[in-house]
Amino acid sequence: MKAYTDVLINKVEGGHKWWRPDPDMPLMHYEAKHVSDNIYIMWMETRAMRRRCAYPCVIVEDGDVMVFKPSKSIGAGAENAAMLKRWALLVTPQNIETEWIVGEVDKDVFGERYKKAQNGTLFGENTEEASEDTEEVSE
């Protein structure tokens, strides 16, 4: 199963050409909040398999959390496929600049938030923390 989508932020200007090597790209971590809807997303971008890829990690939509689970179990595979399908409907390289407020996230902070999302405590009982987290994106 494909676990990645098209790169959203780190696009190569003019597209990739076969005669021009794609420059190196470090692993980058991002979060974004939708401009008008109550949607929060997290993803990573890097260069893998000779192409630039975005790896969706978390979608929080009106309090419902979808998390990409790095597991090979059948149940996790079905959930991951559903998450990637939803991601493709919400986020595209074309609308990331117009419909989303994007922020770069430190690797350690991203890891903590991803673990909280997996445990179901990302925006759980502490709604004050949730509003602080989403305000950071807009700064």
Side-chain angles (χ1 to χ4, degrees):
M1 179 184 86
K2 184 175 115 172
Y4 61 90
T5 64
D6 292 333
V7 70
L8 300 171
I9 303 296
N10 295 295
K11 304 172 203 147
V12 176
E13 291 299 318
H16 178 68
K17 309 289 187 217
W18 64 270
W19 65 85
R20 182 181 62 198
D22 188 7
D24 285 337
M25 180 181 158
L27 179 63
M28 303 294 290
H29 302 83
Y30 296 98
E31 66 181 356
K33 180 156 179 23
H34 196 271
V35 172
S36 59
D37 297 331
N38 188 16
I39 306 172
Y40 171 81
I41 57 174
M42 292 173 50
W43 75 98
M44 299 181 291
E45 290 189 5
T46 192
R47 189 169 161 230
M49 300 170 283
R50 296 183 152 195
R51 65 179 296 186
R52 290 170 180 255
C53 303
Y55 293 96
C57 297
V58 176
I59 301 172
V60 181
E61 191 171 8
D62 293 324
D64 295 328
V65 180
M66 297 179 86
V67 180
F68 190 89
K69 296 182 174 121
S71 173
K72 293 185 179 184
S73 72
I74 294 171
E79 288 178 26
N80 290 343
M83 185 208 175
L84 288 172
K85 192 176 210 177
R86 184 67 185 146
W87 182 274
L89 295 172
L90 293 172
V91 188
T92 65
Q94 293 77 30
N95 78 0
I96 192 70
E97 296 171 7
T98 58
E99 297 180 21
W100 296 90
I101 301 167
V102 179
E104 193 174 323
V105 182
D106 179 67
K107 176 184 174 183
D108 296 329
V109 173
F110 186 92
E112 290 172 18
R113 290 182 184 166
Y114 185 57
K115 283 182 184 175
K116 285 182 180 179
Q118 288 175 321
N119 297 335
T121 60
L122 180 62
F123 296 139
E125 298 172 2
N126 191 352
T127 55
E128 196 172 294
E129 179 184 336
S131 64
E132 287 174 10
D133 287 345
T134 56
E135 285 174 11
E136 288 176 14
V137 174
S138 60
E139 293 178 356

